Amino acid sequence: MRRSTRRAWVAFAGGLALWGTAFLTGTLPVSATPRSTTYPYPINSPADLFAAGSGLAQEGQDAVGQADHPTLDISSKAFGLHLGNGTGTAVNPAGLTALLIRAQRPSGTLAVWGNNQDTKKAVTLTTSGKVATGSSATIAAKTSQDFTLGWNFGNSRERMSKLTLQAAYDKGSRSQAFYVARLDLGDAFDLNYAVGGTQPAAFQTVALNPANGSEEDLELGVLAASADLLWLRVNNWGSNLVTVEGTGVSKDADLFPGTNATVTGHSWVYPGFAQQLKSDAISGDPTYALTLRGAGGYTYSSTHTITLLVKRYAERFTTSRVGGAEMTAITLDLPADVTGEIPESLDAGTLEPVSDKYLPLVKDPIAAVSLRMIPQGTPTATWVQPVLVNWEISRTMLEKTLTSADAAAFLEELAASSEKLTTFFTRVRPYKHFPSQVVDLLTLANATGNREAFFTVASDPATGKATLFFRLLVADSGTPEVTTILEDGIGYFLVSDGVEDGVLEDPLCLCASNVTPPTTIPTTAPTGTHPTGGGGSSGGGCTAGLLFPWGFLLTLPLFLLRRRG
């Protein structure tokens, strides 16, 4: 057995949200392992259609079906799907848990036999989606013919994306979602993980070594509350069939990553599907093990030992949600590289909206808020307060900078994406604003080479909303700056609020990703009323956001950092 040891320095704060899911997929290793053609429902062609759902249940078999050349009945009222050669009773695809195109190449097409059941009207079929190639066809009334669903992942790291088929008659139309999984490797797996008392919203990801006979050690840094559990998801991005065995974790559910839906009646983890496992309450720095085995006649085995490096935290208060944002003040042991102390106690804290007029040089603001906290006690060092940020983005918020159609398409694309961070940041970026500058938090995180340690993204298809999570260390200091801190894979933004006055204040904003630095930089902030609507600014001096060139960020002094000898 070959054993490798890796520290997968990615971090997650549990308990940030209770529903929804996000997948952030890491780089998948290239596998030279063979593809099995003997297990149940093998992929024997460049692409096929694989369906899962209770409507496909047969006695003694899993509730799944497969077709290399499916048939789709089309009318203005409903679709009907025939697997195999189009014989038998049609299944309503809207009632299926998963409708997956299993592709063994990054680009390609799947031929579908379209049967227009309307006796008088032609139907025009078009496809859309991030990887869709835009194929279209028109089928005359009472006529059947082939049409294609096409995709091209290009150089993207995406493993799954959504295709939407639109069937348009002269009056009215219907749509049907398909999901295409890029399964161009024999064995390829990644591990999503998170901690939380209930199923968390967002998961971090690490790719697993797919070599047959291998043993792999992983060390995962996590931020956890006292009653949190470990949640794991093994995603099968290969073309072979596997089972998952856990030590210290037990199976919770089988999932379809495209919709985050639970699937039932599966004996194995099929290509393009996932299995979720969970532990008991985390105690100490525990160790767990996962063993992946080939199934259905395929020989494969790999063992992955997971050691958690746990940083404990406790909640102080959570603000009400304002401008989509919710913030939780917590206590924890500050990272070793930060000199300061957490306040003995805090007031309840307030979170208030900031008007766009106080963001004069931030292009296309989506939302802006300001958190204000007043520490209690006498400090012996700089006050530093950790904060968990949970920022929810709705379609209405996005429509400040996008058309309604583009906002809806972005949220749909994000929900199906296996690269949620990349997809999210194509449209939205978080900024910290001071009276005389704006700091791009994504730019700072990217500079560390591990932005996954700083951000996670969740998407809830049921509500059509997305959520961005990150962590702050807000310091009461007179130098306005932001520094990144990484410890055991847990990333924080260390924010000096700009005024050492016994008040912790932290204005933040979300903006469109196409922000452009201005050609002229004003040297003073606007005057007038306090941006949150109060009578005046007395803490932090943070009243508005101006934009300095990004090169300025790289020259910021490393505030509050203590070098290790």
Side-chain angles (χ1 to χ4, degrees), residues 57 131 329:
V131 301

Side-chain angles (χ1 to χ4, degrees), residues 16-17 321 324-327 388-392 467-470:
L16 297 178
R321 194 173 291 277
E326 180 182 86
M327 300 194 188
L388 306 178
V389 180
N390 167 334
W391 209 323
E392 188 177 86
T467 306
L468 176 68
F469 302 99
F470 54 98

Side-chain angles (χ1 to χ4, degrees), residues 47-49 68-72 74 101 107-115 123-129 131-139 144-152 163-167 176 178 180:
D48 67 9
L49 185 66
D68 292 335
H69 191 185
T71 295
L72 188 67
I74 307 164
I101 299 171
S107 62
T109 60
L110 176 70
V112 180
W113 187 251
N115 178 22
V123 62
T124 298
L125 305 175
T126 56
T127 55
S128 60
V131 301
T133 55
S135 54
S136 62
T138 298
I139 304 178
S144 298
Q145 70 178 60
D146 267 338
F147 68 93
T148 59
L149 299 172
W151 62 90
N152 187 351
L163 298 179
T164 299
L165 173 69
Q166 192 80 15
Q176 176 60 49
F178 293 80
V180 56

Side-chain angles (χ1 to χ4, degrees), residues 235-434:
N235 297 289
N236 184 1
W237 298 121
S239 57
N240 295 318
L241 194 68
V242 296
T243 61
V244 180
E245 301 170 8
T247 301
V249 289
S250 58
K251 178 180 175 179
D252 180 64
D254 291 309
L255 300 172
F256 177 53
T259 58
N260 306 321
T262 298
V263 295
T264 58
H266 282 200
S267 304
W268 311 282
V269 183
Y270 288 96
F273 287 76
Q275 185 172 117
Q276 179 168 285
L277 306 96
K278 65 179 181 179
S279 72
D280 292 332
I282 297 169
S283 177
D285 289 338
T287 297
Y288 310 92
L290 295 175
T291 300
L292 279 57
R293 300 190 190 280
Y298 176 60
T299 300
Y300 175 88
S301 178
S302 63
T303 300
H304 311 271
T305 301
I306 301 163
T307 300
L308 292 188
L309 305 179
V310 181
K311 192 176 189 71
R312 293 290 183 180
Y313 77 93
E315 181 178 328
R316 282 188 146 169
F317 65 80
T318 298
T319 68
S320 57
R321 194 173 291 277
V322 175
E326 180 182 86
M327 300 194 188
T328 300
I330 62 172
T331 60
L332 49 69
D333 292 334
L334 291 174
D337 281 347
V338 175
T339 300
E341 65 176 287
I342 295 177
E344 297 174 12
S345 62
L346 288 171
D347 64 352
T350 58
L351 186 65
E352 299 182 1
V354 175
S355 170
D356 287 359
K357 71 179 181 179
Y358 289 96
L359 308 170
L361 293 180
V362 175
K363 183 180 179 182
D364 295 337
I366 294 170
V369 297
S370 183
L371 174 65
R372 180 181 172 88
M373 302 172 288
I374 301 178
Q376 307 298 317
T378 302
T380 59
T382 301
W383 268 327
V384 180
Q385 176 56 52
V387 175
L388 306 178
V389 180
N390 167 334
W391 209 323
E392 188 177 86
I393 298 96
S394 67
R395 176 173 169 177
T396 301
M397 293 168 65
L398 290 169
E399 286 173 357
K400 290 185 66 176
T401 63
L402 300 175
T403 66
S404 179
D406 285 346
F410 166 68
L411 290 171
E412 286 187 9
E413 174 187 314
L414 181 66
S417 175
S418 62
E419 288 286 334
K420 281 189 165 50
L421 268 187
T422 299
T423 301
F424 181 87
F425 288 133
T426 61
R427 292 293 192 181
V428 182
R429 295 170 83 115
Y431 297 86
K432 161 66 182 160
H433 54 94
F434 296 103

Side-chain angles (χ1 to χ4, degrees), residues 460-514:
D460 183 10
T463 64
K465 295 180 179 180
T467 306
L468 176 68
F469 302 99
F470 54 98
R471 290 163 295 276
L472 303 173
L473 301 173
V474 184
D476 184 35
S477 175
T479 304
E481 60 189 7
V482 182
T483 303
T484 53
I485 301 293
L486 262 173
E487 184 179 76
D488 289 352
I490 303 173
Y492 310 84
F493 294 102
L494 176 60
V495 178
S496 167
D497 67 1
V499 179
E500 189 173 355
D501 59 356
V503 177
L504 297 168
E505 191 160 2
D506 185 37
L508 297 165
C509 59
L510 293 178
C511 301
S513 285
N514 59 342

